[in-house]
Amino acid sequence: MRESWRWFGPDDPVSIADIRQTGATDIVSALHAIPAGDVWPIEDIRAHKDLIEGQNADQAPLYWTVVESIPVHEDIKLGRPGHEKYIEAWAQSMENLAKCGIKTICYNFMPVIDWTRTDLNYKLPSGAYALRFDQQKFAAFDLFILNRENAETEYSDIEIADAKRVFNEMSEEEKTELTNNIIAGLPGKMTDSYGLDDFKAMLDNYRHIDKKALRQNLFSFLEKVLPRAEACGVNLAIHPDDPPRDMLGLPRIICTADDLDILFEAQPSPSNGITLCVGTYSSRPDNDLPAMARQFGPRIHFSHLRGVSRDPEEQRSFYEASHLDSDIDMVAVIKELLSEEVRREKNGQKGNDIFIRPDHGFQMMDDIGKQVNPGYSTIGRMKGLAEVRGVIRALSAQMDGT
Ligand code: DNO
C-alpha cells in the first residue's frame, strides 16, 4: 500500500514541506492550469515534478506517482464532431506522463458537474466541520434556483413540497452559496461554468445523451486510449460519479458494481482500472464496499479512503464522516485491498502496489478559520491518514503472521 496525499500545486495552502511531515510517500497531483483538451507538455510535467521531488536529496523523499486527473473534454463525453483531437491530446498527455515515470492516472467521465456538495461547513457535534450533500437543498437548487425545464417530472410531490419549504427558508446569501457550491467549484473540478445561464446551456447539450449514448462515448474514448496505455505501462483508474446517481437530468454511468461489470465487459484491457473511491460508492446503500473491493481487486490501482454517514430518513443525503466511523466497514475494505496486494505479489506482479490517500478530512482545530480547499485541510486529512495507517499496519502484521 502506498500512502499518498493530494496536492493542488503551488497555490495549495498545504505545502510540500507540510505533507512530508505526515509520513505520506507519494503525491497525487495534476497540472490544473492547463485547460481541458490541451496536451500536458513534458517540460511542464518535469517542472511540476521538480516542485514535488526537488528536495528529495536531503529530505524524506516524496514522489509524484499519481495523476488526479487529466480532464476529459466535454466534447468527448458528448461525442461531438471533432472530439477526436481531444482524445489525441488526452493520450499524448498520458504518454508524456509515462515518459516522466508517472503511470497511475485517475480521471472521470461525469458530464458537466464533477463531485458535488451542498454544504461545505457542516458543523459536527465535536465542533469540527465536514462536507455534506443534502438532497432537499439540491432539489431546491434544481427546481427553484436553476428552474430547470421539466425538472419537476423527476421529483415526487412530497419531494417538491420539501424542496419548496427548504428554498423558502433560505436567505439570499444562502441561495448564492448553494449555487456556487454546485456550479462554480469544489477543488479539482474538471469543468467550468460561468453563471446559471451558461450552466443551463451546458446541461442542455446533454438533452439527447442518455446512459447508453454516454457509455458508448466512454467506450470509444477507451478504445483509442487503452492500447496506448498498455504500450506505455499506464494504469488508468476511473473515478466514480459523486454522488453516484443521475443528477440534474444528466446520465451518470460509473455508480455501481453493475456499471463496472459493463465497463470491463466492453473494455477488458488490463490497463482499464478504477479508483475505488470508498466514500463515493458508499453514498448509496446498495453498494457493498468490501465485496466491491474483492470483486474488482485486480482493477484497483488507486483508492480514496473515506466514509459517509447517510441520513436514515433520506438515504441520498449524507455527510462525510470520520475515516473509520462511517456507514461502511473501512477495516474490511482495507483488508480486501491488502489481500489483493498479496495476490499480486504471489503472481509476481512487482511494483503494482495500490495507492491510497485519505480522501477529504474535517476542518478542525487550528485549520478552522484558515483558507483551505474544501475537504482538503491539513489536520483533518492527517488524522484520517494516521487512522488508516494504523489499520493497515495492524492488518498487515496479522496477515504476515498467518
Ligand atoms: C474530490 C475528488 C474529485 C475527483 C475527480 C476525479 O475530492 O474525488 O475531484 O478527484 O472527480 O477525476
Side-chain angles (χ1 to χ4, degrees), residues 3-269:
E3 294 175 11
S4 67
W5 185 282
R6 192 173 194 182
W7 185 61
F8 289 102
D11 295 335
D12 192 324
V14 184
S15 67
I16 287 292
D18 284 350
I19 299 172
R20 188 169 268 118
Q21 293 179 36
T22 68
T25 50
D26 293 81
I27 294 288
V28 174
S29 198
L31 302 185
H32 292 285
I34 300 186
D38 285 9
V39 177
W40 292 13
I42 289 213
E43 314 77 67
D44 295 33
I45 297 169
R46 289 220 175 99
H48 196 72
K49 197 168 150 79
D50 199 48
L51 288 177
I52 294 164
E53 301 180 9
Q55 305 295 316
N56 280 357
D58 50 359
Q59 299 190 5
L62 278 171
Y63 299 99
W64 182 18
T65 36
V66 182
V67 164
E68 183 173 351
S69 307
I70 309 180
V72 176
H73 195 280
E74 285 293 299
D75 283 9
I76 299 177
K77 298 176 210 167
L78 287 161
R80 275 186 168 154
H83 71 279
E84 295 80 3
K85 65 176 180 291
Y86 296 124
I87 298 186
E88 178 55 32
W90 203 98
Q92 273 181 32
S93 300
M94 172 185 76
E95 287 166 348
N96 288 350
L97 286 161
K99 282 183 195 141
C100 298
I102 302 164
K103 299 196 170 186
T104 302
I105 300 180
C106 171
Y107 69 103
N108 74 74
F109 216 75
M110 288 177 252
V112 185
I113 44 170
D114 198 297
W115 67 297
T116 303
R117 300 289 180 270
T118 54
D119 303 80
L120 307 184
N121 296 299
Y122 176 66
K123 196 165 185 183
L124 299 168
S126 68
Y129 294 87
L131 305 181
R132 177 173 161 81
F133 182 88
D134 183 303
Q135 176 59 26
Q136 291 183 345
K137 276 196 187 171
F138 190 78
F141 165 78
D142 191 9
L143 292 162
F144 306 115
I145 296 177
L146 185 64
N147 289 309
R148 184 168 60 88
E149 208 182 316
N150 296 328
E152 62 287 352
T153 59
E154 294 164 30
Y155 296 89
S156 69
D157 290 348
I158 298 176
E159 286 171 339
I160 295 174
D162 282 340
K164 185 80 197 171
R165 180 181 43 76
V166 166
F167 175 75
N168 289 339
E169 283 166 7
M170 270 193 279
S171 65
E172 285 312 307
E173 204 183 8
E174 285 167 335
K175 287 176 198 163
T176 307
E177 197 177 304
L178 177 65
T179 304
N180 285 339
N181 291 346
I182 296 171
I183 74 165
L186 296 179
K189 264 197 161 169
M190 301 295 133
T191 44
D192 288 317
S193 65
Y194 310 92
L196 277 177
D197 287 340
D198 184 37
F199 187 69
K200 266 192 200 157
M202 287 172 76
L203 294 179
D204 216 43
N205 290 336
Y206 284 85
R207 197 175 275 257
H208 304 295
I209 307 269
D210 60 6
K211 261 191 204 309
K212 197 165 165 239
L214 186 65
R215 266 203 183 106
Q216 207 36 62
N217 293 342
L218 169 62
F219 298 160
S220 49
F221 163 73
L222 286 174
E223 217 161 78
K224 299 197 185 77
V225 165
L226 284 168
R228 291 167 70 171
E230 281 182 44
C232 61
V234 160
N235 288 324
L236 297 186
I238 194 164
H239 187 282
D241 309 332
D242 182 6
R245 56 174 183 274
D246 296 352
M247 310 189 84
L248 303 175
L250 296 167
R252 309 253 254 181
I253 52 171
I254 305 291
C255 302
T256 62
D258 286 350
D259 289 339
L260 294 178
D261 277 334
I262 297 172
L263 169 69
F264 296 126
E265 203 183 315
Q267 297 295 326
S269 156

